[in-house]
């Protein structure tokens, strides 16, 4: 009898098992981009799964008369689908719609689960956002990224948590991109490498990033360009320049090509130094892909850019001092400056998907930069006390002559192999590669000064220049690098846990240095409240020198300075520890918000002291200091206005270094930094009239006296800036199919008006120094741009 009951139980168990089916599929957004960490669950049961990095999921469930499958992910509208009387395995692919419908402005997705330090930023239609740089990804990062600071509206460079501009690494399609080395001011900079029209996704980390990202100490910006699905394009024009792009997909071939042009003359005319500004920057980029088969794909990214800066200065008048002791600095110029920066970049990748969970990518890239900086500028100046509106008292006069013939050529060639292996709940990623660098540097510059008729420095016997610099260096070196990292994700009774462990290693032939960088991060989303996310990340981050860092200035007996290269240079090191938390919630008529907080500490060793002059970072060329950077970053993202995304951020930081046993500020030390980005639209206009506001208020950067051994002594005034932009949609999708003229080919046409620096606050970014006959140094602030209006037109087809 018992035996019959045992047989019946076994047969019943097999029948129950036989009546189960597998539900699988892919979840993506409406752009076709896979969404990770979507909770897919059979409604009314405990069976379900999370999607992986490719948006795929799979789970089994018992056969029923009908099965309702729900799809849920923070930041997206919940979706459900019901299948009637399923008898066999089924495939359900789902597209989720973001909860915040985007305006035609740059937005950041506020409510996505972030289990590591890489935050995803959504560009939207960034060309309508107010931006004095002419529309750049970096401008968005400056307000949306945590711990990011800028004090120069003419530049796309930024500092992150006490690091300088050179400590940020930028990737486009997994290839590191570079910027010219000779640029010393925002006026010379032109266009950044990243083209917003070509950009599909943006990820940014302020520290504690994975081993897959290279050898920089502060941050990583990871950009992916679009792979188009159909024909589309757009054009734009404004008072700073213009842009155009076109994308298409025909069979196995896709391409997207963009052209940008920037002038910026009108903005530069608001500077204190008046004259004939003639900047000109152009950029042509293309990204092409060809799919040989579902397993094999070839892609090419190409870029050519040329930036010419011509300037004939005329006069400069700068008011400075205090209310009790106002002063005026006046200069009359002669001569001219002509700079040219040309770059050529090409990258090819070949991706082979051996199996569904195993793929390999071969990356080959080359970068070449040719840079020239030439000027001969003379000037006569006088400094006066301002007694009243009509009376001035001259307290000093002088003149100067500046000369430069600087040329630099740089070439970088890179080859690497990248592999991905996914199994069970693991995602392994590895890479092995090499890089060759060739740099040719020629510098010849000098400056002659006199004060009250005496040359500086004063010498009774012969004329001496105030300063000079000479360089004739050629460097060729090779680098080898590799990394291995594993991401493990598991869901248990406590919640979702994501762990990433990685190790990065490199070798540089120039100084024969081996580097090993262990890195780790852990993220946790508790089941008790999935609106909370906790993360902890850290590791060793080395910055291997790239020419600038190991140039040393040596002075001979005659007082002439030349640049020599330090072969004993060592990589700078930063040990990161980052603790973060996200809290998603709803308020103000049930609108979505997210409050994010990150605490960080960075231990800095083998530092190479440097000074910052405008955007030029000048290193001393030796490992002479150590220090730390610590602080807290907070940001609130959300719909302050219905169906629009805005954010506000506040950071506190202390960044110090020890030089010769003396504790001093790092040149990027800023106690506080406040950012605010706000979007709005006029009611009852169907969102045709929109506005966006951009606010930055940060402590001024520290500065040092000339020749003070890279030890900052005082802070510049606070950087305060408010930019306002307004846009009106002349033509939209609702009109497209009601008209049979040429206008029916356009999706949207916008006209906009921007006001840069609404309050006309002229911020200080650097200082000019002059010495009297006694050698005393006097500082005159170099002020940035004033208020300027900008008209723009954007069309999409």
């Amino acid at each position: 009898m018992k035996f019959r009951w045992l047989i019946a139980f076994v047969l019943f168990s097999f029948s129950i098992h036989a009546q189960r089916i597998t539900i699988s599929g892919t979840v993506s957004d409406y752009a076709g981009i896979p969404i990770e960490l979507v909770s897919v669950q059979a409604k009314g049961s405990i069976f379900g799964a999370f999607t992986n990095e490719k948006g795929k999921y799979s789970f089994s469930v018992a056969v029923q008369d009908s099965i309702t499958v729900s799809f849920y992910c923070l930041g997206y509208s919940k979706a459900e689908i019901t299948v009637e009387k399923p008898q066999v395995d089924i495939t359900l692919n789902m597209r989720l719609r973001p909860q915040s419908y985007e305006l035609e402005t740059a937005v950041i997705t506020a409510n996505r689960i972030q289990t590591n330090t890489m935050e995803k930023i959504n560009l939207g239609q960034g060309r309508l956002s107010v931006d004095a740089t002419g529309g750049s990804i970096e401008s968005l990062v400056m307000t949306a990224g945590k711990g990011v600071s800028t004090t120069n509206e003419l530049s796309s460079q930024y500092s992150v948590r006490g690091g300088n501009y050179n400590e940020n690494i930028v990737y486009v399609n997994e290839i590191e991109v570079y910027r010219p080395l000779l640029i010393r001011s925002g006026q010379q900079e032109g266009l950044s490498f990243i083209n917003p029209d070509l950009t599909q996704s943006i990820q940014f980390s302020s520290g504690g990033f994975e081993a897959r990202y290279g050898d920089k100490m502060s941050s990583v910006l990871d950009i992916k360009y679009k792979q188009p699905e159909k024909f589309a394009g757009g054009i734009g024009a404004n008072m700073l320049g213009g842009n155009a792009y076109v994308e298409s997909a025909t069979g196995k071939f896709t391409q997207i090509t963009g052209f940008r042009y920037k002038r910026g003359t009108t903005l530069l005319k608001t500077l204190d130094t008046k004259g004939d500004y003639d900047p000109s920057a152009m950029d042509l980029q293309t990204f092409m892909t060809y799919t040989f088969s579902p397993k094999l794909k070839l892609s090419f990214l190409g870029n050519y850019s040329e930036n010419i800066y011509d300037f004939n200065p005329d006069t400069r008048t700068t008011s400075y001092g205090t209310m009790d002791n106002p002063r005026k600095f006046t200069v009359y110029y002669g001569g001219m400056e002509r700079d040219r920066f040309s770059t050529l970049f090409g990258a090819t990748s070949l991706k082979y998907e051996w199996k569904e969970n195993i793929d390999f990518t071969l990356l080959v890239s080359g970068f070449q930069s040719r840079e020239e900086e030439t000027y001969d500028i003379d000037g006569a100046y006088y400094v006066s006390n301002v007694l009243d509106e009509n009376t001035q008292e001259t307290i000093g006069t002088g003149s100067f002559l500046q000369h430069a013939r600087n040329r630099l050529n740089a070439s970088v060639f890179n080859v690497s192999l990248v592999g991905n292996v996914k199994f069970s709940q693991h995602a392994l990623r590895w890479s092995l590669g090499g890089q060759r660098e060739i740099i040719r540097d020629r510098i010849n510059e000098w400056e002659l000064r006199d004060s009250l008729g005496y040359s500086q420095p004063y010498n009774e016997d012969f004329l001496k220049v105030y300063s000079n610099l000479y360089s004739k260096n050629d460097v060729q070196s090779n680098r080898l690098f590799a990394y291995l990292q594993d991401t493990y994700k598991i869901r248990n009774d406590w919640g979702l846990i994501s762990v990433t462990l990685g190790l990065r290693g490199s070798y540089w032939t120039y100084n024969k240095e081996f580097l090993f960088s262990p890195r780790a991060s852990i993220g946790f989303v508790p089941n008790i409240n999935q609106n909370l996310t906790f993360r902890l990340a850290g590791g060793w981050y080395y910055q291997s020198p790239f020419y600038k860092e190991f140039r040393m200035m040596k002075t001979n007996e005659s007082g002439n300075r030349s640049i020599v290269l330090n072969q004993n240079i060592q990589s700078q090191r930063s040990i990161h520890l980052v603790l973060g938390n996200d809290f998603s919630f709803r308020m103000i008529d049930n609108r979505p918000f997210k409050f994010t907080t990150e605490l960080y500490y960075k231990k800095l060793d083998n530092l190479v002291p440097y000074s910052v002059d405008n955007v030029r970072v000048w290193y001393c060329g030796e490992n002479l200091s150590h220090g730390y950077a610590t602080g807290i970053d907070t940001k609130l993202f959300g719909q302050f206005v219905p169906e629009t995304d805005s954010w506000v951020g506040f950071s506190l930081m202390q960044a110090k270094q020890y030089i010769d046993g003396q504790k001093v500020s790092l040149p990027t030390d800023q106690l506080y930094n406040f950012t605010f980005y706000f979007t709005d639209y006029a009611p009852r206009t169907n969102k045709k009239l929109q506005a966006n506001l951009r606010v930055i208020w940060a402590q001024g950067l520290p500065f040092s006296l000339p020749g003070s051994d890279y030890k900052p002594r005082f802070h510049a005034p606070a950087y305060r800036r408010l930019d306002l932009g307004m846009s009106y949609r002349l033509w939209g999708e609702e009109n497209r199919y009601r008209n049979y003229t040429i206008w029916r080919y356009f999706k949207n046409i916008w006209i906009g008006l921007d006001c840069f620096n609404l309050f006309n606050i002229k911020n200080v970014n650097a200082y000019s120094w002059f010495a009297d006959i006694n050698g005393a140094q006097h500082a005159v602030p170099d002020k940035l741009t004033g208020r300027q209006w900008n008209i723009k037109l954007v069309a999409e087809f």
Side-chain angles (χ1 to χ4, degrees):
M1 188 71 177
K2 294 181 179 179
F3 181 71
R4 288 198 299 269
W5 277 108
L6 179 61
I7 294 176
F9 177 76
V10 173
L11 291 176
F12 177 76
S13 299
F14 273 105
S15 71
I16 291 296
H17 179 74
Q19 294 178 30
R20 298 185 70 84
I21 62 172
T22 298
I23 301 176
S24 61
T26 302
V27 183
S28 62
D29 61 16
Y30 272 72
I33 302 174
I35 305 175
E36 185 184 7
L37 298 176
V38 178
S39 175
V40 185
Q41 192 165 19
K43 198 170 183 179
S45 75
I46 61 172
F47 302 105
F50 278 94
T51 57
N52 61 18
E53 293 179 348
K54 293 185 176 181
K56 297 183 180 296
Y57 71 92
S58 177
F59 65 94
S60 61
V61 66
V63 173
Q64 304 172 31
D65 290 339
S66 66
I67 299 175
T68 299
V69 181
S70 64
F71 300 82
Y72 173 73
C73 181
L74 288 174
Y76 294 90
S77 298
K78 187 176 181 178
E80 293 183 350
I81 186 170
T82 301
V83 181
E84 300 292 342
K85 297 180 179 180
Q87 299 297 324
V88 296
D89 295 346
I90 56 177
T91 299
L92 297 178
N93 296 326
M94 177 60 66
R95 287 191 173 187
L96 299 183
R97 185 184 299 276
Q99 285 179 331
S100 299
Y101 298 102
E102 299 169 7
L103 289 177
E104 298 295 327
T105 53
V107 300
I108 183 168
T109 303
N111 289 329
R112 288 180 178 172
I113 295 177
Q114 181 187 336
T115 57
N116 56 26
T117 62
M118 293 295 292
E119 55 182 318
K120 296 180 180 179
I121 299 175
N122 189 355
L123 174 63
Q125 297 293 326
R127 287 176 295 171
L128 294 181
S129 296
V130 58
D131 179 14
T133 64
S136 67
I137 297 294
E138 292 86 347
S139 177
L140 176 60
V141 172
M142 290 171 191
T143 58
K146 293 186 285 288
V148 183
S149 175
T150 179
T151 56
N152 189 341
E153 65 271 9
L154 294 174
S155 172
S156 60
Q157 301 303 308
Y158 50 86
S159 62
V160 179
R161 292 177 175 171
N164 66 47
Y165 314 128
N166 298 327
E167 296 174 15
N168 307 312
I169 193 168
V170 179
Y171 287 92
V172 175
N173 290 358
E174 302 188 29
I175 303 294
E176 182 180 356
V177 298
Y178 300 87
R179 60 188 292 263
L181 300 175
L182 282 183
I183 287 179
R184 69 174 70 199
S185 68
Q187 295 92 306
Q188 299 173 323
E189 195 167 288
L191 293 160
S192 72
F193 182 93
I194 307 168
N195 188 330
D197 293 329
L198 277 61
T199 300
Q200 174 178 282
S201 66
I202 309 168
Q203 293 191 92
F204 178 77
S205 173
S206 302
F209 41 89
E210 301 170 355
R212 61 179 292 189
Y213 298 112
D215 297 316
K216 295 287 186 179
M217 294 198 301
S218 289
S219 74
V220 57
L221 178 61
D222 189 359
I223 303 294
K224 294 290 188 300
Y225 276 178
K226 301 176 186 176
Q227 187 172 336
E229 297 181 351
K230 58 183 180 179
F231 178 80
I235 56 175
N238 58 71
M239 296 172 65
L240 300 178
N243 60 283
Y245 77 97
V246 62
E247 59 184 76
S248 63
T250 54
K252 298 182 178 181
F253 178 75
T254 69
Q255 69 81 32
I256 180 168
T257 301
F259 174 79
R260 294 179 294 169
Y261 180 73
K262 180 180 177 182
R263 290 277 296 168
T265 303
T266 56
L267 192 61
L268 296 179
K269 286 183 178 180
T270 65
L271 295 169
D272 284 351
T273 302
K274 308 301 180 182
D276 184 11
Y277 289 94
D278 188 18
S280 174
M282 61 80 62
D283 168 270
L284 179 65
Q285 289 191 43
T286 184
F287 177 54
M288 298 181 288
T289 65
Y290 187 84
T291 304
F292 295 97
S293 69
K295 291 182 175 292
L296 186 63
K297 182 171 69 174
L298 178 69
S299 64
F300 171 76
L301 172 63
N303 166 261
Y304 173 73
S305 67
E306 184 171 87
N307 176 22
I308 298 176
Y309 177 72
D310 289 342
F311 178 43
N312 293 275
D314 186 15
T315 62
R316 169 183 173 176
T317 302
T318 301
S319 298
Y320 69 107
T322 64
M323 294 185 64
D324 295 331
N325 185 24
R327 289 183 174 182
K328 182 175 290 187
F329 180 67
T330 305
V331 187
Y332 297 95
Y333 293 100
M336 68 171 295
E337 177 179 357
R338 181 176 178 83
D339 308 322
R340 179 172 180 172
F341 308 93
S342 300
T343 60
L344 186 65
F345 174 86
T348 301
S349 70
L350 182 65
K351 182 176 182 179
Y352 175 63
E353 189 173 310
W354 184 35
K355 295 181 179 180
E356 185 179 1
N357 64 326
I358 301 176
D359 63 67
F360 303 94
T361 304
L362 177 65
L363 300 169
V364 181
S365 65
F367 167 82
Q368 187 176 71
S369 175
R370 297 183 179 277
E371 308 172 30
E372 296 181 3
E373 182 186 44
T374 62
Y375 55 81
D376 287 287
I377 296 176
D378 63 276
Y381 65 86
Y382 66 89
V383 184
S384 56
N385 287 325
V386 180
L387 303 179
D388 54 48
E389 293 184 0
N390 301 314
T391 309
Q392 298 181 23
E393 177 188 22
T394 300
I395 60 175
T397 63
S399 61
F400 59 86
L401 174 62
Q402 298 172 336
H403 166 91
R405 297 293 184 270
N406 301 332
R407 292 174 175 82
L408 187 144
N409 296 336
S411 299
V412 180
F413 305 98
N414 185 292
V415 178
S416 62
L417 180 65
V418 181
N420 290 284
V421 181
K422 295 180 175 63
F423 61 92
S424 183
Q425 293 165 311
H426 294 266
L428 280 173
R429 184 181 178 91
W430 59 269
S431 179
L432 178 67
Q435 181 169 292
R436 179 163 179 80
E437 300 163 3
I438 303 173
I439 298 175
R440 183 177 184 270
D441 182 25
R442 301 291 185 269
I443 292 179
N444 184 7
E445 61 181 55
W446 50 264
E447 180 179 3
L448 179 67
R449 289 188 188 181
D450 77 48
S451 178
L452 298 175
Y454 294 92
S455 64
Q456 299 292 322
Y458 175 70
N459 188 290
E460 294 182 351
D461 300 322
F462 55 88
L463 182 67
K464 294 184 66 175
V465 297
Y466 178 77
S467 66
N468 70 330
L469 188 62
Y470 175 80
S471 173
K472 185 177 181 181
N473 292 302
D474 296 279
V475 181
Q476 297 187 26
S477 63
N478 300 312
R479 300 179 193 265
L480 298 175
F481 56 87
Y483 69 80
L484 173 66
Q485 72 176 45
D486 178 29
T487 299
Y488 175 73
K489 295 180 180 179
I490 185 173
R491 184 172 182 258
N492 55 27
D493 294 338
W494 293 94
L496 174 67
I497 301 174
S498 175
V499 180
T500 299
L501 301 175
L503 177 66
R504 186 178 186 89
S506 63
Y507 174 73
W508 189 29
T509 60
Y510 185 80
N511 64 353
K512 298 178 174 56
E513 183 180 37
F514 285 96
L515 300 175
F516 295 97
S517 304
R519 304 174 188 179
S521 67
I522 181 171
F524 176 59
V525 183
N527 280 336
I528 192 173
N529 188 349
Q530 294 192 11
N531 291 319
L532 285 172
T533 303
F534 301 92
R535 56 185 173 272
L536 177 66
W540 274 251
Y541 297 83
Y542 290 92
Q543 178 145 339
S544 186
F546 185 79
Y547 191 62
K548 277 187 175 183
E549 293 91 330
F550 58 95
R551 297 189 304 177
M552 296 191 302
M553 285 190 296
K554 295 294 184 181
T555 305
N556 62 18
E557 296 178 355
S558 301
N560 295 315
R561 298 187 304 171
S562 61
I563 292 178
V564 298
L565 304 182
N566 179 12
Q567 288 193 320
N568 296 318
I569 193 73
Q570 292 182 330
S571 296
Q572 301 178 89
R573 186 182 70 178
S574 177
I575 301 177
H576 292 194
L577 182 62
V578 182
L579 176 63
N581 167 251
D582 296 337
F583 174 50
S584 300
F585 59 97
R586 290 182 174 270
M587 66 177 187
I588 313 178
D589 299 329
N590 202 34
R591 299 177 207 153
F593 286 83
K594 183 178 77 171
F595 184 73
T596 179
T597 304
E598 283 192 356
L599 297 165
Y600 64 89
Y601 179 83
K602 300 196 295 187
K603 184 179 183 297
L604 310 174
D605 299 301
N606 288 335
L607 294 182
V608 180
Y610 63 90
S611 61
V612 178
D613 182 12
N614 204 301
V615 299
R616 183 175 69 170
V617 178
W618 192 269
Y619 293 90
C620 77
E622 297 180 276
N623 304 99
L624 297 179
S625 68
H626 65 278
Y628 66 90
T630 185
I632 180 172
D633 298 321
T634 61
K635 280 193 181 292
L636 175 64
F637 305 94
Q639 293 187 7
F640 296 94
V641 175
E643 300 182 358
T644 72
D645 279 355
S646 305
W647 54 88
V648 57
F650 182 71
S651 299
L652 292 172
M653 181 186 68
Q654 186 179 75
K656 304 295 182 180
Q657 64 178 332
Y658 295 87
I659 304 178
D660 299 328
Q662 183 180 356
K663 183 179 179 180
V664 297
S665 294
L666 281 165
T668 49
D669 181 27
Q670 290 177 294
L671 176 62
Y672 62 89
N673 182 29
F674 172 81
T675 58
F676 181 42
Y677 186 86
F678 180 76
T679 58
D680 197 359
Y681 58 89
R684 296 183 295 276
T685 63
N686 196 23
K687 301 177 185 175
K688 288 185 176 181
L689 179 59
Q690 303 176 9
N692 60 91
L693 180 71
R694 184 174 184 262
V695 178
I696 297 177
W697 190 338
Q699 184 184 30
L701 294 177
F703 284 91
S704 57
L705 300 174
S708 63
D709 298 327
Y710 304 92
K711 298 177 182 178
R713 306 292 183 181
F714 65 96
H715 277 267
Y719 183 87
R720 297 167 296 165
R721 186 176 178 89
L722 188 151
D723 298 329
L724 176 65
M726 301 188 68
S727 303
Y728 183 79
R729 189 174 65 201
L730 300 173
W731 183 268
E733 289 280 359
E734 67 273 12
N735 310 110
R736 191 174 182 186
Y737 300 106
R738 301 178 186 175
N739 193 299
Y740 295 97
T741 65
I742 190 174
W743 302 109
R744 72 181 186 273
Y745 295 107
F746 289 90
K747 296 178 183 177
N748 294 291
I749 301 177
W750 293 83
I751 187 170
L753 177 66
D754 296 332
C755 181
F756 302 137
N757 198 357
L758 180 64
F759 296 136
N760 198 31
I761 300 173
K762 289 201 169 185
N763 294 292
V764 177
N765 184 247
Y767 285 87
S768 296
W769 297 86
F770 67 93
D772 57 28
I773 185 62
N774 298 316
Q777 296 284 347
H778 301 266
V780 177
D782 294 335
K783 297 183 178 181
L784 291 168
T785 60
R787 184 188 297 117
Q788 177 64 34
W789 297 92
N790 179 49
I791 301 174
K792 60 189 176 186
L793 180 68
V794 176
E796 298 174 325
F797 56 85

